[in-house]
């Protein structure tokens, strides 16, 4: 065996975590918090909208969490976490001043460069708005580079809506068409009621010049894709963010297979054309 | 491979020289790992002499069946493959990655850098599996640091299979029964009423120097042709076949095949097939804390797509049915692997058939899916 042909070991540094401090937390819904952290080094906050970090809670474990926001001037990153398993509960309940481990950011984000000059529609379902939020922020910061900008967002109830402050800001802008719906309203709710796909009847997309970015539960993405196709969007310009169980984030544990692709290194953002044979099937 | 003048030269070894080969490798600092009998099973473990090999033993295999029998001769390699594969040594089942102290100190575990191991008795299908692992683990963009370190100092003595087993189908997958590359020395065993010897073929310059170091003479043309006759005969002895023609597209077109429902009724999701498979590579990482709570360790461990936790995301598994887990594994081996790594993930060793407690046979599953498609398109 020639040794040159065997590649160069990167060492277990790939698995090494870097500590960050929790500097803030916002209760979004009864079980969902946005955690604000400050990495030790400034350079660690560079990321692409749509990328994720592996976040480690001491003594519990590590999970992939999408970056849901950034405050570059303050050197901070945000993650919106719903506490449903041991690790996400530990992260969601991390106190200000406590330490969390970070690796990454990893993965391929939203194709913001490729979509320049085009209309954008963003469709979020529930906590699926989290990985879309940095893309929304980027488009707002570079508003002149894009055409019409639609944001469609659905949650189960008014109490489940994330980023209520952001929603107010986005609603106030004349250059964003924001439509928000809930599955079940309450006595104070005066907006749309119904699943997010019911909002498509209020908009008319330009099929030849629109990029769609979609994230939410798989069933919601499946029906959203149908609406986008009905409006004439080709699969090549429909982008979705996928989620699968991951332990490494860097293509070494191989768990995050989705058909022929690996969500961590090939995604998490995919164009529908890359995965269409697998996307609409159950339990893939 | 290293080029050397006499790369294609053949040498003659008798059983004493096999013993000398083992001693010489040990003298060079290699741990020699070869087949041995443990608990009525042939497994791979460290050996010191040829007497530890399963001399005169054969393995009778069938779907869900494995028994050792006496051969009636003194063959050293008169069996095929057992439940172990070389992945146990190149990609250890458990590896400590990190220790995280409560005070925040993170220490990275040192990979046992370049341990010298000589693998004796590597079959053609197993060499194919190692070459697949090379692609997967070293092909980038991320290189597996553990595999890369373990792979660095491996000496390979391969053995051609003169008698394929009942579950072998490497002829169909194009990975055997004879080795073609990736070895330092290959052996073809010749056993007859009045003779027992090995024809060794050189695969690298260090293989050649080792053969010369132990004083092996060149093989005569009669000896070489005796070995060749046995390999030709071997091709005619295969009982299992896998039709690989258009298999990937067939499986992509038939993701909802009713055959998966039939298999799911039998499959126990026990994960045996993934553990014995020489190419299955999925792992988990476990957080291990002691009672004192002063430190946490992070361990990587082999995992299986048949385990329910494997696909867990927020609140439940993606693949909760056994059907979906069997389909995930099966289509990965025979279809998606090709898109991911440019080759099929199956090397035709038959281990998953032998060690399946209910005897599910991948070659039959593939044939049934093909048969059903034919039926569907005919109606």
């Amino acid at each position: 065996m020639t040794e040159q042909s065997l590649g160069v070991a990167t060492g277990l540094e790939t698995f090494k975590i870097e500590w960050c401090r929790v500097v803030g937390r916002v209760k979004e819904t009864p079980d969902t918090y946005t955690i604000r952290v400050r990495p030790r080094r400034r350079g660690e906050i560079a990321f692409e909208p749509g990328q994720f970090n592996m976040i480690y809670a001491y003594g519990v474990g590590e999970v992939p969490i999408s970056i849901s926001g950034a405050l570059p001037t303050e050197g901070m990153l945000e993650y919106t976490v719903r506490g449903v398993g041991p690790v996400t509960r530990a992260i969601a309940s991390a106190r200000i001043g406590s330490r969390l481990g970070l690796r990454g950011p990893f993965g391929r984000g939203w194709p913001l460069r490729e979509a320049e000059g085009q209309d954008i529609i963003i469709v979020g379902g529930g906590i699926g708005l989290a990985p879309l939020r940095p893309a929304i922020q980027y488009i707002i910061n570079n508003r002149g580079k894009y055409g019409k900008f639609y944001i469609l967002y659905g949650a189960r109830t008014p109490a489940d809506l994330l980023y209520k402050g952001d929603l107010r800001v986005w609603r106030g802008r004349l250059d964003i068409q924001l439509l928000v719906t809930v599955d079940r309203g309450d006595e104070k709710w005066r907006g749309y009621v119904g699943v997010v796909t019911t909002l498509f009847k209020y908009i008319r997309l330009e099929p030849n010049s629109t990029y769609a970015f979609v994230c939410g539960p798989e069933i919601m993405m499946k029906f959203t894709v149908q609406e986008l196709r009905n409006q004439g969007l080709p699969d090549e310009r429909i982008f979705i963010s996928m989620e699968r169980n991951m332990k490494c984030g860097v293509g070494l544990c191989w768990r995050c297979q989705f058909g022929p692709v690996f969500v961590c290194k090939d995604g998490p953002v995919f164009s529908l054309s890359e995965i269409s044979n697998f996307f609409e099937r159950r339990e893939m | 491979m290293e080029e050397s003048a006499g790369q294609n030269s053949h040498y003659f070894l008798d059983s004493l020289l096999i013993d000398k080969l083992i001693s010489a490798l040990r003298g060079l600092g290699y741990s020699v790992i070869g087949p041995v009998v443990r608990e009525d099973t042939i497994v791979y473990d460290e050996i010191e002499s040829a007497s530890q090999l399963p001399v005169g033993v054969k393995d009778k295999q069938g779907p869900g069946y494995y028994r050792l029998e006496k051969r009636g001769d003194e063959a050293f390699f008169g069996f095929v493959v057992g439940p172990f594969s070389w992945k146990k040594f190149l990609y250890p089942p458990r590896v400590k990655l990190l220790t995280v102290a409560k005070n925040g100190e993170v220490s990275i575990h040192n990979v046992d850098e370049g341990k010298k191991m000589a693998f004796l008795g590597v079959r053609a299908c197993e060499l194919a599996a190692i070459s697949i692992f090379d692609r997967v683990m070293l092909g980038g963009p991320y290189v597996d640091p553990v595999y890369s370190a373990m792979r660095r100092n491996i000496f390979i003595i391969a053995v051609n299979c003169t008698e394929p087993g009942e579950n072998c189908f490497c002829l169909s997958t194009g990975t055997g029964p004879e080795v073609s590359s990736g070895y330092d020395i290959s052996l073809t065993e010749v056993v007859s009423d009045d003779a027992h010897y090995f024809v060794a073929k050189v695969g690298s310059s260090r293989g050649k120097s080792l053969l010369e170091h132990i004083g092996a003479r060149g093989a005569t043309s009669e000896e070489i042709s005796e070995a060749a006759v046995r390999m030709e005969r071997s091709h005619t002895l295969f009982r299992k076949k896998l039709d690989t023609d258009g298999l990937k597209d067939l499986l992509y077109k038939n993701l909802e095949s009713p055959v998966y429902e039939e298999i799911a009724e039998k499959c126990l999701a026990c994960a045996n097939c993934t553990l014995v498979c020489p190419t299955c590579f999925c792992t988990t990482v476990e957080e291990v804390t002691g009672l004192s709570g002063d430190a946490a360790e992070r361990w990587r461990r082999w995992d299986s797509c048949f385990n329910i936790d494997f696909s867990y995301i927020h609140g439940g598994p993606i693949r909760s049915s056994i059907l979906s887990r069997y389909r995930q594994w099966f289509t990965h081996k025979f279809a998606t692997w090709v898109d991911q790594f440019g080759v099929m993930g199956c090397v035709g060793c038959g281990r998953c058939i032998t060690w399946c407690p209910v005897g599910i046979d991948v070659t039959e599953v593939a044939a049934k899916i093909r048969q059903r498609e034919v039926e569907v398109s005919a109606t």
Side-chain angles (χ1 to χ4, degrees):
Chain A
M1 304 276 99
T2 50
E3 297 192 359
Q4 294 88 321
S5 66
L6 295 178
V8 179
T10 54
L12 290 177
E13 285 77 12
T14 317
F15 296 97
K16 193 181 178 194
I17 52 168
E18 298 291 343
W19 294 112
C20 61
R21 281 281 168 205
V22 177
V23 292
R25 58 199 299 263
V26 175
K27 186 173 185 171
E28 301 280 356
T29 78
D31 62 358
T32 304
Y33 288 80
T34 294
I35 302 294
R36 190 172 284 178
V37 306
R38 183 183 278 129
R40 274 193 195 156
R41 287 191 291 271
R42 269 293 167 95
E44 286 167 14
I45 72 152
F47 74 103
E48 276 175 48
Q51 284 192 309
F52 65 92
N53 280 97
M54 296 299 292
I55 303 190
Y56 170 74
Y58 173 76
V60 191
E62 197 184 38
V63 287
I65 304 282
S66 292
I67 298 166
S68 67
L71 295 88
T73 51
E74 291 155 87
M76 293 179 198
L77 290 169
E78 290 179 326
Y79 303 90
T80 303
V81 184
R82 189 152 72 97
V84 286
V87 186
T88 49
R89 271 199 291 271
I91 296 167
S93 61
R95 285 195 302 267
I96 290 175
S98 66
R99 255 192 312 243
L100 290 172
L102 276 191
R103 289 191 299 123
F106 299 125
R108 178 178 67 169
W110 304 105
L112 287 158
R113 190 64 53 77
E114 182 190 322
E116 280 180 13
Q118 309 283 308
D119 294 352
I120 305 283
I121 174 167
I122 280 182
V123 190
I127 199 169
L129 191 59
L132 290 163
R133 187 171 171 239
I136 294 171
Q137 205 53 57
Y138 179 90
I139 292 166
I140 289 173
N141 293 344
N142 298 271
R143 192 62 193 86
K145 290 185 183 169
Y146 300 92
K148 287 184 192 154
F149 185 20
Y150 304 90
I151 301 172
L152 273 49
Y153 178 43
R156 277 172 300 175
T157 70
D160 291 308
L161 291 169
L162 304 179
Y163 317 131
K164 294 187 181 73
D166 287 353
L167 292 175
R168 269 193 298 277
V169 173
W170 300 341
R171 193 184 301 283
R173 290 184 66 118
L174 296 172
D175 57 0
I176 298 176
Q177 189 172 353
L178 172 71
L179 299 174
V180 178
T181 183
V182 294
D183 297 352
R184 292 186 307 281
D186 58 19
E187 60 277 17
K188 281 187 283 177
W189 180 253
R190 279 175 295 160
Y192 296 108
V193 175
V195 294
V196 73
T197 45
T198 59
L199 297 173
F200 277 88
K201 60 176 172 282
Y202 305 112
I203 59 166
R204 188 60 41 225
L205 300 173
E206 203 56 65
N208 298 321
S209 57
T210 302
Y211 272 70
F213 301 165
V214 184
C215 187
E218 279 186 33
I219 187 79
M220 165 267 173
M221 293 203 288
K222 177 179 165 178
F223 286 105
T224 300
V225 160
Q226 284 176 12
E227 294 292 338
L228 292 165
R229 281 174 171 164
N230 287 346
Q231 296 227 6
L233 257 70
D235 288 0
E236 290 72 26
R237 276 188 270 116
I238 300 174
F239 289 83
I240 60 178
S241 181
M242 290 298 301
E243 185 175 14
R244 282 293 178 271
N245 185 298
M246 286 177 200
K247 294 291 179 184
C248 74
V250 293
L252 295 178
C253 77
W254 310 105
R255 303 169 75 88
C256 63
Q257 282 175 65
F258 180 63
V261 297
F262 292 95
V263 172
C264 74
K265 61 184 180 120
D266 302 325
V269 173
F270 295 96
S271 82
L272 192 56
S273 55
E274 294 172 288
I275 53 173
S276 53
N277 188 26
F278 298 88
F279 176 64
E280 289 176 52
R281 294 178 200 278
R282 286 170 50 80
E283 296 193 273
M284 290 307 301
Chain B
M1 298 308 306
E2 291 173 34
E3 295 294 326
S4 68
Q7 188 165 1
N8 291 322
S9 50
H10 293 78
Y11 290 80
F12 170 92
L13 274 73
D14 57 17
S15 47
L16 285 174
L17 278 174
I18 296 287
D19 206 44
K20 224 170 167 184
L21 192 67
I22 295 171
S23 313
L25 281 164
R26 287 170 57 79
L28 290 169
Y30 286 96
S31 303
V32 180
I33 299 164
V36 293
V37 176
R38 296 255 190 285
E39 297 174 24
D40 297 323
T41 310
I42 294 171
V43 299
Y44 298 139
D45 204 349
E46 183 157 2
I47 56 170
E48 294 171 10
S49 81
S51 64
Q52 291 168 277
L53 295 170
V55 178
V57 174
K58 77 177 261 95
D59 46 358
K60 187 157 175 53
Q61 305 195 24
Y65 185 92
Y66 182 95
R67 297 287 185 279
L68 295 186
E69 292 175 355
K70 286 210 164 69
R71 290 179 57 89
D73 62 21
E74 296 296 302
F76 280 17
F77 298 100
F79 47 88
V80 284
V81 292
F84 281 24
S85 69
W86 305 98
K87 113 180 153 177
K88 178 174 188 281
F89 303 96
L90 294 171
Y91 192 65
R94 283 188 93 222
V95 179
K96 183 158 62 166
L97 302 174
L98 301 176
T99 302
V100 184
K102 202 172 185 184
N103 66 12
E105 211 174 292
V106 181
S107 43
I108 304 175
H109 176 66
N110 286 324
V111 183
D112 202 354
E113 198 66 34
K115 187 181 171 196
K116 289 175 89 173
M117 290 186 285
F119 295 166
L120 171 62
V122 181
R123 305 305 175 121
C125 58
E126 300 185 306
L127 266 185
I130 292 171
S131 118
I132 289 175
F133 251 78
D134 286 351
R135 269 176 198 244
V136 171
M137 298 293 154
L138 310 175
Y142 300 99
V143 169
D144 189 279
V146 179
Y147 183 79
S148 167
M150 303 306 269
R151 182 75 175 90
R152 201 157 299 155
N153 279 314
I154 303 299
F155 193 101
I156 292 180
I157 302 169
V159 167
N160 287 314
C161 291
T162 52
E163 296 171 20
E166 291 84 349
N167 287 339
C168 295
F169 55 100
C170 62
L171 196 60
S172 302
T173 50
T175 48
E178 58 276 290
V179 298
S180 54
S181 65
Y183 58 88
D184 293 294
I185 296 169
S186 80
L187 302 174
T188 307
E189 186 167 23
V190 177
V191 188
S192 64
D193 293 342
D194 52 357
H196 181 208
Y197 61 89
F198 302 84
V199 173
K201 194 174 164 189
V202 168
S204 72
S205 56
R206 62 183 192 177
K208 187 180 173 71
S209 16
L210 184 68
L211 287 168
E212 280 170 3
H213 171 75
I214 61 167
R217 65 161 169 83
T220 64
S221 55
E222 290 78 35
E223 287 155 358
I224 294 170
S225 81
E226 275 296 315
V229 163
R230 276 163 177 74
M231 286 317 295
E232 264 171 49
R233 186 166 157 271
S234 173
H235 281 241
T236 67
L237 300 176
F238 280 84
R239 281 146 285 190
K240 258 193 210 315
K241 268 191 195 140
L242 173 74
D243 183 358
T244 58
D245 186 33
L247 185 55
K248 181 185 101 172
D249 291 333
L250 176 85
L251 297 184
Y252 279 171
K253 266 191 275 172
N254 291 280
L255 289 168
E256 314 286 346
S257 172
V259 174
Y260 291 119
E261 287 165 32
E262 290 167 30
I263 301 303
E265 279 175 27
K266 290 175 77 183
C267 175
L268 307 171
C270 71
N272 267 14
C273 50
T274 55
L275 294 177
V276 296
C277 178
T279 68
C280 268
F281 48 47
C282 288
T283 56
T284 186
V285 177
E286 290 176 334
E287 183 89 1
V288 181
T289 46
L291 284 174
S292 70
D294 293 338
E297 291 177 351
R298 300 199 40 80
W299 286 78
R300 178 165 92 171
R301 180 176 63 71
W302 285 359
D303 201 356
S304 168
C305 53
F306 282 93
N307 292 335
I308 191 102
D309 278 356
F310 187 84
S311 65
Y312 178 94
I313 51 172
H314 49 77
I318 296 272
R319 299 182 201 106
S320 55
S321 71
I322 290 183
L323 184 156
S324 68
R325 283 177 263 156
Y326 189 84
R327 178 177 64 184
Q328 165 64 29
W329 179 73
F330 188 79
T331 55
H332 190 213
K333 287 290 146 190
F334 296 102
T336 50
W337 203 296
V338 180
D339 282 337
Q340 291 164 358
F341 306 111
V343 288
M344 213 160 61
C346 173
V347 295
C349 73
R351 283 181 178 89
C352 58
I353 307 172
T354 301
W355 297 96
C356 176
V358 294
I360 296 171
D361 179 338
V362 285
T363 65
E364 276 177 21
V365 176
K368 270 188 189 170
I369 293 173
R370 197 182 288 276
Q371 171 68 21
R372 283 296 171 83
E373 163 157 271
V374 172
E375 283 171 17
V376 169
S377 56
T379 51

